[in-house]
Amino acid sequence: KSGAPRLGKVYYSARLRYRQPLQKCKVAFTHGRTQMLLFETPQIVAAGQSLVLYDWEVVLGGGVIV
C-alpha cells in the first residue's frame, strides 16, 4: 500500500473522536496537502478536532480540522 488516498469511488474509514466507531468516507477533492472527505453518514465537526484516515487497518494519515 502506498499510504496515499485515491480520489473517486474508493471508500475509506475515518475517526474524528477518540473511541468513535470508524466512519465510512471517500476522498472527494485534493489540492496539495488539503483534502475534502465526504462521509456516508453526516458528521458534526469543529475546528481543532483531529481526524485519522484508514484503509482497512493501515493508517493513511491524519490532520487537524480547520
Side-chain angles (χ1 to χ4, degrees), residues 9-65:
K9 297 183 180 180
V10 176
Y11 280 91
Y12 298 100
S13 297
R15 181 172 283 133
L16 292 160
R17 293 169 191 83
Y18 180 67
R19 294 190 186 198
Q20 175 191 35
L22 291 172
Q23 304 296 314
K24 196 172 184 181
C25 66
K26 64 181 175 178
V27 178
F29 169 80
T30 186
H31 178 67
R33 294 179 62 173
T34 302
Q35 296 179 346
M36 182 193 308
L37 301 178
L38 295 178
F39 286 86
E40 194 171 71
T41 304
Q43 302 294 305
I44 298 173
V45 298
Q49 281 185 290
S50 295
L51 179 137
V52 179
L53 186 65
Y54 298 87
D55 185 0
W56 292 96
E57 294 180 356
V58 176
V59 174
L60 296 177
V64 177
I65 297 169

